[in-house]
Amino acid sequence: MQMAEGVQGAACVICFMTQAYQDSANCNLELKFAHQSGVPIVPVMMQPNFTAKNWLAILTAGSIWTPLYD
């Protein structure tokens, strides 16, 4: 419930892209909810050489990723 309220009240959702983020069921739900709610998603690459797959690749496709791993 708190996650949904946070997403609904957000100007955007920043996802810190790592393998752990991609493997997280909670992160999956949160980002899918943001997408369905029309909240902008800002992907930030936090792990060098990481490639998003499956649900994360779909939800961030076409987005400009900000690299912050250096």
Side-chain angles (χ1 to χ4, degrees):
M1 184 71 145
Q2 290 178 340
M3 180 175 55
E5 290 173 0
V7 169
Q8 288 174 327
C12 69
V13 171
I14 299 172
C15 59
F16 294 102
M17 313 253 301
T18 64
Q19 187 63 52
Y21 185 92
Q22 183 168 276
D23 293 342
S24 168
N26 287 333
C27 293
N28 181 328
L29 290 173
E30 182 179 54
L31 209 62
K32 284 182 179 177
F33 184 68
H35 178 74
Q36 291 170 351
S37 299
V39 176
I41 297 170
V42 179
V44 176
M45 187 63 68
M46 299 297 292
Q47 182 178 336
N49 303 316
F50 173 74
T51 301
K53 295 182 175 85
N54 303 318
W55 66 271
L56 188 55
I58 292 169
L59 293 177
T60 58
S63 298
I64 297 174
W65 298 4
T66 302
L68 290 180
Y69 47 81
D70 284 335

